[in-house]
Amino acid sequence: MDFTPTEEQAAARDLAARIFGDLATPERLTAAGTGSDPELWKALCAAGLVGAVEELGLLGLVLLLEEQGRTTAQVPFASTCVYGLLAVAAHGSPEQRARLLPGIGDGSVVVCGAVSGQGGVRAQSARGAGEEGESQRAVTRGELSGTVPVVPWLRDATHVLVADEQRGLWLAPVTDAVGVEAVELTAPWAAGRLTLDGAPAERLGAAGVDVGAEAQQPHSRPPTPTPSPYADVLATARTAFAGLQAGVGAGSLARAVAHVNAREQFGRPLATRQAVQLRAAGAHMDIEAIRVTAYEAAWRRDAGLPYATHALTAAWWASEAGQRVVHTGQHLHGGAGADLDHPVHRHFLWGRQLDAYLGGGGEVLQELGELIVSEEAEKEREVGEG
């Protein structure tokens, strides 16, 4: 495996770093409150960074999200790319890709995701669909009903990707049939409570089939089992948000290092104290663990390899180590870190929110263990049958 960015990925990362650095300043973030920054979103889309993710792949997206995390820029970048661009590109029908991808790329279509199973969403055939014995699996138009308590970036979205009770994926435009009630999270993610009451939606893909699966499989080797669209989108989200957490932690630690080098105690910089050095070194190693596991999961997806366990591993590191890192960043600032208006406190809020969004370390670890056990059992069954 090789995690070295391509020239295109490196150029996109550097461009993203410049845009985030110029526009996601502490002053602008304070002015945005708990919402997003529309001017920054326009700048990212105008630079072609959202649309470029289709070619850059998940590894390229992880690199871009690291730069967003360093500044805690308040834009729906991760959600639109994961639940919109990559999901539609991988699993959408040709008609859906032609219709939706250009709008996602130019920023006129903003997508958020309600796929984590927080609430029960029921799907039924739209009026006039699913007749003449057509199975529910084959229905491409439907109506959704149910509630999802928290959906990040819902207040910015034009569309929401929803998983129903059977883990089918539906793309619903935000219309009058979609209730959006503002919800404030630990981090300012323009979140909302999603209420669906017969909301019109279209199934992602052609007749519920993963139309992108065959194209993703290299023809030079035997085909590997292809994850369902739901499993792929969930693993993609875990990997991407782990990359975002790596950036949040790196930004927090960079601020802490600058602070302890400038702050003196008894005539010596705080950075010369062994306890401070050890705490910072531990945070650095945690960030590297988050980064490398996210890179591996992303690289495997881009290469068409199984990556569900790798995505869970990245999510576990992002959850467990991520919250340690942002606590360290705040601690090394001393009393200043407790100031709600200090930039490092924003990293603390984002790190804790990402920990919760990824499911918490214990929950993720349990799912990872269960997945490993099921995979081993499947291997033993195949050996027995052989």
Side-chain angles (χ1 to χ4, degrees), residues 24-26 29 70-72 248-262 329 332-333 342-347:
T25 62
L29 292 172
R70 291 178 197 275
T71 59
T72 62
V248 169
S252 175
L253 184 59
R255 291 186 182 279
V257 169
H259 175 80
V260 297
N261 274 288
L332 291 180
H333 276 80
H342 195 288
V344 78
H345 189 69
R346 188 178 298 272
H347 288 270

Side-chain angles (χ1 to χ4, degrees), residues 19-38 40 67-75 153 187-189 255 340-347 349-350:
I19 294 175
F20 286 128
D22 290 343
L23 296 181
T25 62
E27 295 76 17
R28 288 178 63 95
L29 292 172
T30 299
T34 62
S36 60
D37 186 337
L40 175 55
E67 300 306 323
Q68 179 185 2
R70 291 178 197 275
T71 59
T72 62
Q74 292 174 201
V75 285
W153 307 111
W189 285 3
R255 291 186 182 279
L340 300 184
D341 295 326
H342 195 288
V344 78
H345 189 69
R346 188 178 298 272
H347 288 270
L349 296 178
W350 275 64

Side-chain angles (χ1 to χ4, degrees), residues 137-305:
R137 181 65 177 166
V139 172
T140 58
R141 309 294 299 186
E143 295 177 349
L144 306 179
S145 297
T147 301
V148 182
V150 178
V151 180
W153 307 111
L154 178 61
R155 297 189 333 243
D156 290 335
T158 62
H159 293 71
V160 56
L161 185 67
V162 182
D164 64 24
E165 294 176 324
Q166 304 301 317
R167 294 189 172 183
L169 294 181
W170 300 83
L171 197 61
V174 179
T175 62
D176 292 339
V178 176
V180 178
E181 179 183 352
V183 174
E184 299 304 339
L185 304 180
T186 301
W189 285 3
R193 175 185 175 89
L194 176 68
T195 302
L196 302 164
D197 184 13
E202 57 181 312
R203 185 183 288 275
L204 186 65
V209 177
D210 182 2
V211 295
E214 183 178 353
Q216 293 181 35
Q217 297 299 330
H219 297 289
S220 59
R221 61 175 182 266
T224 57
T226 303
S228 68
Y230 172 86
D232 180 54
V233 169
L234 185 58
T236 299
R238 285 167 166 160
T239 304
F241 282 95
L244 184 61
Q245 182 76 302
V248 169
S252 175
L253 184 59
R255 291 186 182 279
V257 169
H259 175 80
V260 297
N261 274 288
R263 183 80 170 177
E264 291 189 357
Q265 185 181 65
F266 304 115
R268 295 170 56 191
L270 286 174
T272 63
R273 306 294 177 180
Q274 186 179 46
V276 171
Q277 293 172 357
L278 290 174
R279 191 79 188 271
H284 172 74
M285 295 304 297
D286 275 338
I287 294 167
E288 287 302 302
I290 300 169
R291 179 180 287 124
V292 73
T293 52
Y295 284 5
E296 182 178 14
W299 177 84
R300 289 182 67 87
R301 182 188 189 272
D302 292 342
L305 300 171

Side-chain angles (χ1 to χ4, degrees), residues 63-87:
L63 294 172
L64 298 181
L65 291 177
E66 278 193 76
E67 300 306 323
Q68 179 185 2
R70 291 178 197 275
T71 59
T72 62
Q74 292 174 201
V75 285
F77 194 25
S79 68
T80 291
C81 289
V82 169
Y83 302 117
L85 191 139
L86 290 179

